[in-house]
Amino acid sequence: MSSRITVGIDVGTYEVRAVIAEHNGPNMPITVLGTGKAESKGLRHGYIIQSSDVTKSVGEAVRSAEKASGHKIRRAFISVGGIGLLGLNSNGSTIISRADQVVTENDMEQAILAAEESIPPNLIQNRKIIYSIPTLWKIDGKQVFGRVLGMKGVKLEAKVLFITSIETHLDDLIEAVEEAGVEVVDVVASPIAASFVTLSKSQKIAGCVLANIGAETVSIVVFENNIPLSLEVFPIGGMDITSDIALGLKISLEEAESIKLGGITSTSYSRKKLEEIISARLGDIFELVENHLKKIGKSGLLPAGIVITGGSSSIGFIEDLARTYLHLPSRIAPLADPQSRLQLKDSSWSVAYGLCIVGSIPEEEERLGFKKHGKNILGNITKILKQFLP
């Protein structure tokens, strides 16, 4: 496979999606060569319960993408999501080591390490840190805006977001994909991958929350000053809405799913009752989002509002409902990324497309403020996070 071709595989609970794309050089559009998808089996809330079924689903999606593109998939970037994904914020500090009190990369690494060591053991147990994101720096108690490297002081402090996954879940995911004959280049948190397609730089700078409503989970990531501040996953999703519709209208799950997404069925039903059923469950979801924003002090304080993506984002009145619950501007994720010009079939493909953008960023990009962790996660994903810097 050409070095100009990248592959993203989004292993979701409902479907596995694979995208093959070709990057045409710096600041050039990315061309999609082929896509493929398959019903996802062997997962529950994002974690693997039957590895062989996951391998089979990945294989089907890969073969479909290969047939569409005419290219063989040997290596890919994959997403990790589900309830095993968690963002942890922690603080750390260190005394600046040089005699002239100039901050070095080693000082920055020591402050990040101190923040990692400050995480309560019960929160980090059985978890693997995928990467760490410094969200705030202080020198001698004063916040630093912009680059901290090269400044002078006595004490360096860092507030760090650690994005983690349950270690067994992550290992099982990598093994299942590689059993399908695909080498895992690296692993990216699903909400981070989706943000490359669904959010503009101006939205990330102003402050926004990206909410991905998947089949069994809702994942959110909060951005401000072009940096992820928080990440959370809730064990509720589009299938809960479908189940509510099936019970409320006394119809099959298949019909309920079609009705949820605006499809035409032979069943007659009250439009008002349907909206009440859907609104109740979406209300639960947006209450969880609002409670999280309150917890991190960002309730009502994100000028770029909430951007909604995922399989259930096509529900007709979801934007109005989000606006009501969160008191923020609300919009559905756009179907095209202005930088890569990727034309999305629908926003449920945002993670897979985002992985291709991640893969298109040159290996020689320098790491700027982010540290990659983990022996089983290959490569240096921190090169992608330059996109989050001003």
Side-chain angles (χ1 to χ4, degrees), residues 6-80:
T6 56
V7 179
I9 300 177
D10 174 23
V11 185
T13 301
Y14 183 66
E15 285 183 325
V16 177
R17 294 177 172 87
V19 175
I20 303 176
E22 183 175 18
H23 53 99
N24 304 306
N27 302 316
M28 295 292 290
I30 294 174
T31 303
V32 175
L33 303 178
T35 64
K37 66 179 181 178
E39 180 185 357
S40 188
K41 298 179 180 179
L43 288 105
R44 178 69 173 164
H45 291 299
Y47 62 88
I48 293 176
I49 57 176
Q50 182 56 257
S51 182
S52 60
D53 287 344
V54 177
T55 296
K56 183 178 179 181
S57 295
V58 170
E60 290 177 3
V62 164
R63 286 190 294 273
S64 179
E66 288 176 337
K67 183 177 180 180
S69 67
H71 289 268
K72 177 72 175 176
I73 295 178
R74 295 186 175 87
R75 306 168 75 239
F77 288 78
I78 66 171
S79 63
V80 59

Side-chain angles (χ1 to χ4, degrees), residues 269-322:
Y269 55 88
S270 165
R271 186 73 185 176
K272 182 180 178 181
K273 183 175 182 180
L274 175 65
E275 289 186 358
E276 288 175 351
I277 293 170
I278 295 176
S279 295
R281 183 61 73 174
L282 285 176
D284 293 340
I285 291 173
F286 291 131
E287 280 185 5
L288 290 171
V289 176
E290 172 64 5
N291 289 338
H292 181 77
L293 294 181
K294 288 179 179 178
K295 179 180 176 182
I296 65 173
K298 295 300 176 183
S299 175
L301 298 176
L302 299 171
I306 180 171
V307 178
I308 306 167
T309 186
S312 294
S313 63
S314 59
I315 293 174
F317 51 90
I318 194 170
E319 289 180 87
D320 293 335
L321 207 60

